[in-house]
Amino acid sequence: MSTLRCRIIGLCATLALLVMVVATPVVLVAIRAVPSPGDFSPNRLTSPDDGTLAVAVIGVVAWLAWLVFTTAVALELAARTRRIRVPHLPGLAIPQLAAGRLVALASLLFVAVPTGSQVPLPTPTVAVVPVHTTLEQPRINHIDTVTPTVRLAAAPLLAEVQAQTDETIPYTVRRGDSLWKIAQQQLGEGRRYDEIVALNEAVLHGRPDFITAGTVLRIPHVTPSAEQETYVVQRGDTLSEIAEVQLGDASAYPTIFEASREIEQPDGGRLTDPDLIRPGWRLTIPGHADGDEPDEQRPADPSAAIHADPTAPIDREDPPPTSPAPTDGPTNLADTDGTSTPGWLLPGLAGAGAILAGSLLIVLRQHRRTQQRYRRPGRIIVSTPPELRPVEKSAHHAGSLTAPRIDVLDKALRHLSTACAMQPRLLDAELGTDSITLHLGKPAVLPQPWHGERTSWSARLDSDFGTDSSHPAPYPLLVSLGQSDDGALSLVNLEELRSITVTGDAAVAAGLGRHLAAELSLNPWSVLVEIDTFGIAAELATIDPLRLHHHDGPDAAFLERLSRDLAAEGGTEEPDRFRALLTTAEQDPHAFGEIAKILTAGVGRPGGAVVTIGGEASDDTVEMHVTSIGRLVIKALELDLVAAGLTAEEATACAAIVDLTRQVDDEAIPSTPEADGGPPLTDQAGAIRLPAAEPRPPGPAGPASLLPLAATTYEQKAATTTADVEQLAPVVPPDTASRVADRDPDLDGDLTVWADPNSRIPRLTLLGPVNARTAGDATAVARRKPFYVELLAYLALHPNGVTTPQVCDAFGLKPDRARTDLAVVRRWLGIDGRTGELHLPSARARAGHHDRGTAVYQLQGVLTDMDLFRRLRARGQSRGEDGIADLVTALDLVSGEPFTELRPAGWSWLLDGDRLDHIMTCAIVDVAHIVTTHALSVDDFELARRTAETAYRAAPDDETSRLDLIQVAAATGHADLAERQLIDDIFNRSDDGLGPVAVPDRTAHIAGGHGWARRTRASR
């Protein structure tokens, strides 16, 4: 039906309103149907009626009907003008309904779009997976123009359309829906259906009275008020359970009942009995915006999912142009599972940038290993400053999933280069969640475990690619460019493309250029690539100063020298270095054009690539076209992707975190605040700190120290230094020892409970693979235990309690979901049999709620091995030389490397504040070093060996534990083993696959003191 009909319907409704509101009183006056008090006098009422009384009664009824209808119309118009809910008049629902519908229909006269100016929304395209056809010849010819064999899908939506829908949400019409019903259910007022009509003129084609199931409409996004929120009843819900989850108190269900009684439910019913609620009903949660935290501001409600695969495309509000989200990607889980994207997540390191995140995480882990090597006993590696925590957390969040895949891809390609007689010409690759797919420039036959034919081959990520990774990477210029609509990450071999021009949107192109420079600097197969940037990616200058060089200008001398070198290196020999040049179109196009000609004209491997950002693509370059909404189209490879990209701020943060972790400084372990506000007694590793402890005197320290002999005695017997002994084994005065004993009278009882396999007290393991044992309802966490173990750990590591907004921020949850998950943990932990109270009480029940005006979730009666370890260390140190037994007991709690086997993409909150995972790793090594030093001094070699091995399992990269193992081997007569360990694990140690790292001063001092260096040189 045409828009003209909408106009006619609106005109008729407007005329009807005018007749009822204006013409009705005129007619009544004209026919003299204006009742007066005399018409109802006693005489008139008791005398036979000649028709006058009947006319008067009809007149009264008519005037009252006119007054009611006119009032309803006035209220409707006023409410629509002010965009507020229409107040309901008791007993007048029918006239209000009629007035509302007439006003809504009348508005069609004013909101319909003329046919001549109607601009329909573009038809969404079906998500297209890049199609790779089997070709007899290479798909790329650097002389001739390549015509793609598959037509690419157009960009799914225009930027202008996207901007128009920022404040709307999609709604798919279901069978039996009408616009009135949709408005009633989604907007709270059926009369607001004209707003849906106005937003969907092109979709409805002028027929608001006819919609079909499956139609996707845009409807206004209704934000819940600050005072209440809506909860949709699920099957099996009860009001008391909803109150427990939503308000933290099951007895608060009457408030939900009272707030929801007047709501007209989707099925037409109303809440009249608190014991009868039906699935799909909507309940108002009073005060829900404040939830359990009445004095705290509620966090924003982001729109993307953190618990989904971080490599999946993400949605963002106002996405930066350099790393936009796809408009037709997978369904966002945030709409259905109560999760959201946290504010700290850098979009350039998620979704299409997930391979860069994984590569960054791999480099950070390499640097952390070197930092642990240089750490001195009693100290920890330098923590990340607050301004760089978002980039570290983003790399952990997305990279924890992609880093293992990157390792497998690297190994698979190295294996491929050795298993094939002739190295395959790789054009591009797809990295999925469980497989790798390669697309070749020429047909080839690949060995097992690859399967496929001609130019397309795949292998599962869990395939056996061998263990030898010493072969050089065959494709150093392989980089990720984006993500396909099915979620696969797409990588392209720039060396095969040789000369590339990125056309299209300038901001998106610049973001892609920064991404390429960052990834070539970080990914594990590009260590032989030298990157030179001109006019772009200046923010990345410090990410790898040895390989990435930024040029502010064209640098004619460098380009001339490079041209000569490339011309001289031509031939069939394998290049021994590779080059990537990234430049903007404004930077001396002639010089870069000459370099591109040299690369494209060569008969052998070019060993390099030139990427020009901006400008127009020529016939001898491969065009990568980017759009303003972040799509990347490479016709020569038949790829249509969500483009990867880094903003300038994201690039700066990436370079800064890499440069920071390259430093090898250490710092003091932070102290643990005392509950009474007094001076700290211990640090967060459990060690008694100065001034509660006293410095060791010259010579023997006496029985008040864990190591009572002179420091020089321990230097001769163990792999330690005087500084180590002074730091780890000070003298503890009697008053400090008394304070330690007085503040922890329950330690032995808690150790007994921990060791009792039949105990019903919840126990959380953190000093090894993370796990938990509880006596509550295990079915509550079935198939979701890793997540709930993490949530339990978060609560345990915040002993003063956490608020709902804090949980939401840490886990990327919405308040409803956070309260639900906390209720699950409450059921899982159960009741403390010693006190009869819940291990996780309701937030409102905690004393903190009354003391600080803030409701907090706070565990009680839950044991952790980390807490027991620190308490044992403090008590052991307070007992002096008699405390070694407590330290041995503490080490018996260690089951491996702390905080391992974590949930993928989880635990990002652990990177905030004091890094307890780092602190406890250092604490285990330091305690083990004390015990090993003591054991070697008394020739207890079995204790020394067992303790050193415990430390090594907990911290294999810490040099202290390695040196302890070497000294134990030497002391027990295994000189050859000690020498081999010294050469392989100390002097030739490399944490990044490159040359050996310089030996730390402490290591050199210990090796020299024991004559290890002299024996090693003699053996050579």
Side-chain angles (χ1 to χ4, degrees), residues 9 64 76 198 237 296 491 503 654 721 733 754 821 840 1008:
I9 293 174
L64 288 175
E76 187 74 29
D237 276 351
E296 295 194 19
L491 300 95
T503 63
C654 289
T721 67
W754 181 271
D821 288 332
L840 179 59

Side-chain angles (χ1 to χ4, degrees), residues 584-717:
T584 58
E586 298 80 14
Q587 304 287 325
D588 196 351
H590 174 73
F592 287 102
E594 290 299 315
I595 294 175
K597 288 180 180 179
I598 296 173
L599 293 174
T600 56
V603 295
R605 291 190 67 175
V610 177
V611 181
T612 303
I613 308 298
E616 298 294 330
S618 61
D619 292 340
D620 56 353
T621 66
V622 176
E623 180 181 11
M624 297 182 180
H625 182 75
V626 293
T627 69
S628 60
I629 62 170
R631 301 294 297 191
L632 169 63
V633 177
I634 311 175
K635 291 184 178 180
L637 297 179
E638 303 160 10
L639 293 176
D640 184 357
L641 309 168
V642 178
L646 285 178
T647 65
E649 293 76 13
E650 291 171 341
T652 300
C654 289
I657 190 67
V658 172
D659 188 49
L660 173 73
T661 55
R662 196 180 286 121
Q663 311 304 317
V664 293
D665 298 331
D666 54 22
E667 62 185 12
I669 300 174
S671 60
T672 301
E674 292 296 303
D676 59 4
L681 184 62
T682 61
D683 61 27
Q684 293 197 26
I688 298 175
R689 53 182 289 132
L690 299 176
E694 298 176 352
R696 293 172 63 94
S705 170
L706 284 165
L707 300 175
L709 305 178
T712 54
T713 301
Y714 296 111
E715 273 194 311
Q716 296 170 5
K717 286 276 195 176

Side-chain angles (χ1 to χ4, degrees), residues 714-768:
Y714 296 111
E715 273 194 311
Q716 296 170 5
K717 286 276 195 176
T720 192
T721 67
T722 298
D724 298 344
V725 175
E726 291 176 346
Q727 175 72 31
L728 298 177
V731 174
V732 178
D735 60 328
T736 298
S738 297
R739 286 178 58 196
V740 172
D742 291 343
R743 76 171 189 172
D744 195 1
D746 301 324
L747 177 54
D748 288 326
D750 288 343
L751 289 170
T752 301
V753 170
W754 181 271
D756 182 4
N758 299 317
S759 173
R760 299 184 60 82
I761 301 300
R763 287 158 288 178
L764 175 65
T765 300
L766 299 171
L767 303 185

Side-chain angles (χ1 to χ4, degrees), residues 139-147 496-501 503 593 596-597 600-601 612 615-624 635-636:
R139 285 187 293 166
I140 294 183
N141 188 315
H142 293 284
I143 304 300
D144 300 326
T145 302
V146 177
T147 303
E496 281 292 327
L497 306 189
R498 306 191 184 195
S499 178
I500 303 103
T501 301
T503 63
K597 288 180 180 179
T600 56
T612 303
E616 298 294 330
S618 61
D619 292 340
D620 56 353
T621 66
V622 176
E623 180 181 11
M624 297 182 180
K635 291 184 178 180

Side-chain angles (χ1 to χ4, degrees), residues 178-466:
S178 66
L179 291 182
W180 182 276
K181 182 178 179 181
I182 295 170
Q184 174 69 36
Q185 293 181 353
Q186 302 298 322
L187 307 182
E189 286 283 348
R191 301 173 183 84
R192 294 182 62 184
Y193 84 92
D194 58 309
E195 299 176 36
I196 303 177
V197 172
L199 287 170
N200 297 276
E201 280 291 333
V203 176
L204 298 174
H205 302 295
R207 297 191 61 185
D209 56 337
F210 181 74
I211 56 175
T212 59
T215 302
V216 178
L217 304 176
R218 306 298 305 184
I219 64 174
H221 176 55
V222 179
T223 303
S225 70
E227 298 299 326
Q228 61 186 29
E229 284 188 2
T230 300
Y231 174 83
V232 178
V233 177
Q234 306 299 317
R235 186 175 302 276
D237 276 351
T238 65
L239 273 186
S240 60
E241 289 176 347
I242 295 171
E244 167 70 18
V245 172
Q246 303 296 326
L247 302 177
D249 185 0
S251 63
Y253 76 88
T255 62
I256 301 178
F257 175 74
E258 292 298 330
S260 307
R261 295 179 63 178
E262 300 301 322
I263 299 177
E264 182 178 352
Q265 301 299 339
D267 60 1
R270 292 181 185 273
L271 178 60
T272 58
D273 183 349
D275 294 326
L276 178 60
I277 56 176
R278 296 172 181 168
W281 280 15
R282 297 176 179 273
L283 305 178
T284 296
I285 310 300
H288 193 233
D290 292 344
D292 289 327
E293 296 74 42
D295 294 337
E296 295 194 19
Q297 187 176 12
R298 202 161 159 250
D301 185 12
S303 62
I306 190 173
H307 288 293
D309 185 344
T311 64
I314 61 171
D315 294 334
R316 289 169 297 170
E317 190 174 347
D318 288 335
T322 54
S323 185
T327 57
D328 57 351
T331 302
N332 194 333
L333 296 181
D335 296 332
T336 58
D337 71 350
T339 58
S340 60
T341 297
W344 49 258
L345 183 63
L346 302 187
L349 295 179
I355 288 183
L356 175 58
S359 298
L360 176 59
L361 183 61
I362 289 172
V363 170
L364 294 181
R365 287 173 174 172
Q366 292 171 347
H367 289 180
R368 292 298 190 192
R369 288 196 289 268
T370 302
Q371 287 181 318
Q372 279 192 305
R373 179 181 190 184
Y374 278 81
R375 183 196 73 89
R376 294 169 292 174
R379 299 176 68 82
I380 57 172
I381 61 179
V382 175
S383 57
T384 304
E387 63 271 17
L388 292 182
R389 285 175 190 162
V391 65
E392 185 177 24
K393 293 169 69 176
S394 298
H396 171 83
H397 175 64
S400 61
L401 287 178
T402 53
R405 302 181 208 168
I406 292 171
D407 287 335
V408 175
L409 176 62
D410 185 28
K411 183 184 297 184
L413 295 179
R414 292 176 193 263
H415 172 264
L416 186 63
S417 68
T418 60
C420 296
M422 181 177 294
Q423 182 170 302
R425 287 185 56 184
L426 176 64
L427 290 182
D428 61 273
E430 298 173 40
L431 183 60
T433 56
D434 56 8
S435 65
I436 307 167
T437 301
L438 306 181
H439 301 285
L440 309 179
K442 285 186 176 180
V445 177
L446 304 190
Q448 291 293 330
W450 298 95
H451 59 275
E453 60 180 1
R454 304 187 67 78
T455 59
S456 182
W457 296 84
S458 298
R460 291 184 56 83
L461 288 174
D462 57 4
S463 301
D464 182 10
F465 296 108

Side-chain angles (χ1 to χ4, degrees), residues 35-48 52-53 56:
S36 65
D39 293 333
F40 301 98
S41 65
N43 292 333
R44 181 65 60 87
L45 293 175
T46 56
S47 302
T52 304
L53 180 61

